[in-house]
């Protein structure tokens, strides 16, 4: 379901707006060779006013990718590119604003289905499907400043020093992810 953004057309007002903005920007088509997937809170309708659009991509050549995003978006407000490691995995992150929405493009040299952002979203989607009452609780924690993964851990009463890993472990225990 998440490999296309068509589902946003049938969603809530924010999702419909995001669909229009993504279509206008053309990022999903223009960067289709990187297998872009919109992840995070907006697809799950657990976003708040300051939620960004997290788009993950499979990036094999960071130099080529960086040149492409600079060509496409360097004129955008707040444009910046950062190369760094996330859990010892080389990563490129691109941020900018477009139509009052904050964009964060996150690329790693691994398939999007194997990236943590995608796995987190799959786990969170399953939880929201099984326990619809979690939605308002998660949103309330997010409004208090919790990251999404930490909010889910709080609702599930899962302990651990790293909510990102804790939620992945939970999803593996349930056989929702590998």
């Amino acid at each position: 379901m998440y490999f296309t953004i068509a589902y946003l057309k049938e969603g809530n007002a924010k999702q419909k707006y995001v669909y229009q903005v993504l279509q206008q920007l053309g990022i999903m088509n223009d960067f289709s060779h990187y297998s872009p997937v919109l992840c995070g809170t907006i697809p799950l309708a657990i976003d708040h006013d300051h939620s960004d659009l997290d788009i993950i991509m499979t990036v094999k050549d960071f130099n080529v990718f960086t040149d492409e995003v600079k060509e496409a978006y360097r004129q955008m407000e707040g444009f910046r590119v950062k190369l760094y490691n996330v859990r010892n995995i080389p990563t490129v992150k691109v941020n900018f604003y477009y139509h009052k929405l904050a964009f964060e493009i996150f690329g790693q040299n691994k398939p999007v289905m194997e990236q943590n952002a995608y796995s987190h979203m799959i786990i969170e989607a399953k939880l929201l499907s099984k326990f619809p009452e979690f939605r308002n609780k998660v949103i309330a924690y997010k409004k208090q400043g919790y990251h999404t993964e930490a909010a889910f851990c709080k609702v599930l009463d899962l302990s651990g020093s790293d909510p990102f890993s804790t939620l992945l472990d939970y999803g593996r225990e349930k056989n929702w992810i590998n």
Side-chain angles (χ1 to χ4, degrees):
M1 169 178 156
Y2 298 110
F3 291 100
T4 171
I5 59 169
Y7 67 93
L8 295 171
K9 291 189 291 189
E10 309 303 321
N12 63 29
K14 175 85 169 262
Q15 290 171 327
K16 289 176 183 176
Y17 178 70
V18 165
Y19 176 80
Q20 292 173 348
V21 170
L22 288 172
Q23 290 295 97
Q24 184 178 9
L25 184 61
I27 190 169
M28 304 309 262
N29 289 328
D30 295 347
F31 286 81
S32 62
H33 52 291
Y34 294 107
S35 305
V37 173
L38 178 65
C39 285
T41 60
I42 292 171
L44 300 177
I46 55 172
D47 55 290
H48 55 76
D49 291 342
H50 303 293
S51 294
D52 59 4
L53 277 74
D54 295 311
I55 301 173
I56 62 171
M57 299 187 187
T58 301
V59 177
K60 295 181 187 329
D61 187 325
F62 287 20
N63 292 323
V64 170
F65 177 77
T66 300
D67 289 345
E68 288 181 30
V69 293
K70 284 180 180 175
E71 181 66 27
Y73 306 121
R74 71 174 160 238
Q75 76 283 3
M76 301 295 182
E77 176 189 346
F79 178 82
R80 67 185 183 277
V81 176
K82 180 180 179 184
L83 297 169
Y84 63 114
N85 287 321
V86 174
R87 299 182 191 275
N88 296 317
I89 300 169
T91 302
V92 60
K93 183 171 76 165
V94 179
N95 297 90
F96 61 86
Y97 291 89
Y98 182 73
H99 281 268
K100 300 180 183 178
L101 292 172
F103 280 74
E104 181 169 286
I105 303 168
F106 187 90
Q108 294 182 326
N109 185 8
K110 58 193 306 190
V112 291
M113 289 180 63
E114 295 175 17
Q115 292 185 31
N116 286 348
Y118 184 81
S119 296
H120 286 141
M121 183 172 65
I122 295 304
I123 295 164
E124 294 157 3
K126 293 231 187 231
L127 285 166
L128 292 171
S129 173
K130 291 174 85 64
F131 307 103
E133 67 276 12
F134 281 10
R135 182 175 311 279
N136 290 334
K137 293 176 183 178
V138 167
I139 291 170
Y141 282 122
K142 288 183 60 55
K143 286 181 178 176
Q144 293 175 33
Y146 285 82
H147 286 282
T148 305
E149 293 77 9
F152 273 96
C153 286
K154 191 100 168 129
V155 169
L156 290 165
D157 199 29
L158 298 175
S159 60
S161 60
D162 179 2
F164 297 92
S165 295
T166 300
L167 193 60
L168 291 173
D169 291 343
Y170 180 86
R172 286 185 194 104
E173 282 177 24
K174 299 290 185 183
N175 291 315
W176 294 341
I177 61 168
N178 294 326

